[in-house]
């Protein structure tokens, strides 16, 4: 889905407010005032606050499907290399878009709004379908195991990255990395997180220890 600059401005304003105040704690009027537009413009572009949230999901993770499809077609990479790229890109996306991550966690933990949860699941199901195609490619080449639980595998990645992000300060203190500047710590953190998840996925997907 393509968005205009004005739509992106509204979506990003809503994202920040949803992360700060929660979905239920943010009104369409709040979003309009913060974005410097009138309420009618939000109705014109999105129809409702729920549809605006759907648009946010599309903006942040809607391109994942296309990215996986392009990787599937890339014959220069092995199936495991493609999976590793997806892992690194997921980590980077979550680290860069922490407001969206906070919203996603809130939506799924509180489960207060069935319409929002349905919209989130719609995007996740669509992306899981193309990940399945990537895994099938590896299975056809004899690289991946025949039986792989795709959803549990993805949950392993999503849950690990999510919990790691929430507990970064704890991780930093436990590993005595308080003296590192933020950039140095972030680089070390992402590298270790990447290695950890890739190791798990290698065990899940292949016969290699």
């Amino acid at each position: 889905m393509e968005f205009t600059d004005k739509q992106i401005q509204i979506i990003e304003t809503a994202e920040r407010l949803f992360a700060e105040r929660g979905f239920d704690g943010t009104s369409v009027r709040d979003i309009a005032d913060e974005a410097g537009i009138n309420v009618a413009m939000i109705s014109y572009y999105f129809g409702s606050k729920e549809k605006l949230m759907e648009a946010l999901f599309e903006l942040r993770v809607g391109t994942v499907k296309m990215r996986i499809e392009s990787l599937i077609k890339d014959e220069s990479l092995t199936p495991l290399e493609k999976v590793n790229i997806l892992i690194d890109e997921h980590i980077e996306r979550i680290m860069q878009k922490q407001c969206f991550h906070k919203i996603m966690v809130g939506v799924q933990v509180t489960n207060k709004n069935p319409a929002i949860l349905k919209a989130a699941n719609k995007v996740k199901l669509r992306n899981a379908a193309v990940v399945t195609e990537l895994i099938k490619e590896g299975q056809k080449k004899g690289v991946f195991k025949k039986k792989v639980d795709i959803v549990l595998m993805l949950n392993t990645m999503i849950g690990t990255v999510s919990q790691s992000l929430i507990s970064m300060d704890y991780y930093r203190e436990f590993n005595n990395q308080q003296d590192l500047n933020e950039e140095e710590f972030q680089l070390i953190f992402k590298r270790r997180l990447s290695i950890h998840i890739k190791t798990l996925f290698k065990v899940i997907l292949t016969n290699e220890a």
Side-chain angles (χ1 to χ4, degrees):
M1 183 184 296
E2 293 291 330
F3 295 106
T4 65
D5 290 343
K6 178 56 68 175
Q7 286 174 310
I8 291 173
Q9 179 204 353
I10 296 169
I11 293 169
E12 290 182 340
T13 300
E15 178 182 40
R16 180 165 51 81
L17 293 177
F18 290 157
E20 292 173 359
R21 307 176 188 178
F23 179 79
D24 292 331
T26 304
S27 69
V28 174
R29 169 65 65 185
D30 293 334
I31 298 166
D33 289 346
E34 194 73 17
I37 60 172
N38 58 53
V39 173
M41 188 173 288
I42 294 179
S43 296
Y44 172 76
Y45 280 131
F46 305 102
S48 67
K49 192 169 68 166
E50 285 76 15
K51 290 295 182 183
L52 177 53
M53 179 70 100
E54 282 190 46
L56 172 58
F57 293 148
E58 285 293 337
L59 180 66
R60 293 301 179 225
V61 296
T63 57
V64 174
K65 177 178 180 289
M66 291 185 290
R67 176 59 174 146
I68 300 171
E69 288 172 340
S70 70
L71 281 174
I72 291 173
K73 296 174 184 176
D74 191 341
E75 294 297 328
S76 68
L77 299 169
T78 68
L80 190 58
E81 285 173 337
K82 295 175 184 181
V83 169
N84 286 342
I85 288 171
L86 288 180
I87 291 169
D88 283 333
E89 290 182 353
H90 177 75
I91 293 171
E92 189 63 34
R93 186 165 53 251
I94 296 300
M95 295 288 289
Q96 292 297 321
K97 302 297 180 183
Q98 294 191 30
C99 279
F100 179 69
H101 167 259
K102 186 176 180 180
I103 293 166
M104 285 295 289
V105 170
V107 164
Q108 294 173 93
V109 170
T110 59
N111 193 19
K112 287 182 179 178
N113 193 314
I116 298 303
L117 192 60
K118 183 177 180 181
N121 285 341
K122 177 182 176 182
V123 175
K124 288 165 64 178
L125 284 167
R126 188 179 65 197
N127 290 341
V130 285
V131 169
T132 300
E133 292 305 310
L134 192 157
I135 300 306
K136 284 181 177 178
E137 177 199 30
Q139 291 170 331
K140 288 178 183 177
K141 293 181 177 180
V143 178
F144 293 157
K145 296 173 183 175
K146 292 297 182 184
K147 291 185 178 181
V148 177
D149 192 314
I150 303 295
V151 172
L152 288 181
M153 183 186 75
L154 291 176
N155 285 347
T156 297
M157 176 180 70
I158 295 167
T160 301
V161 174
S162 178
Q163 181 59 33
S164 297
L165 187 62
I166 291 169
S167 59
M168 263 202 300
D169 290 341
Y170 154 68
Y171 180 89
R172 188 172 191 167
E173 185 173 350
F174 182 83
N175 288 284
N176 298 312
Q177 295 173 330
Q178 296 94 323
D179 293 337
L180 296 175
N181 64 45
E182 192 60 29
E183 184 178 355
E184 290 172 332
F185 170 70
Q186 293 270 345
L187 285 173
I188 292 171
F189 179 78
K190 285 192 287 187
R191 183 171 67 248
R192 290 183 179 177
L193 183 57
S194 171
I195 292 170
H196 178 73
I197 297 174
K198 287 173 184 175
T199 300
L200 292 175
F201 271 41
K202 190 173 183 180
V203 172
I204 292 169
L205 290 169
T206 75
N207 291 310
E208 299 179 47

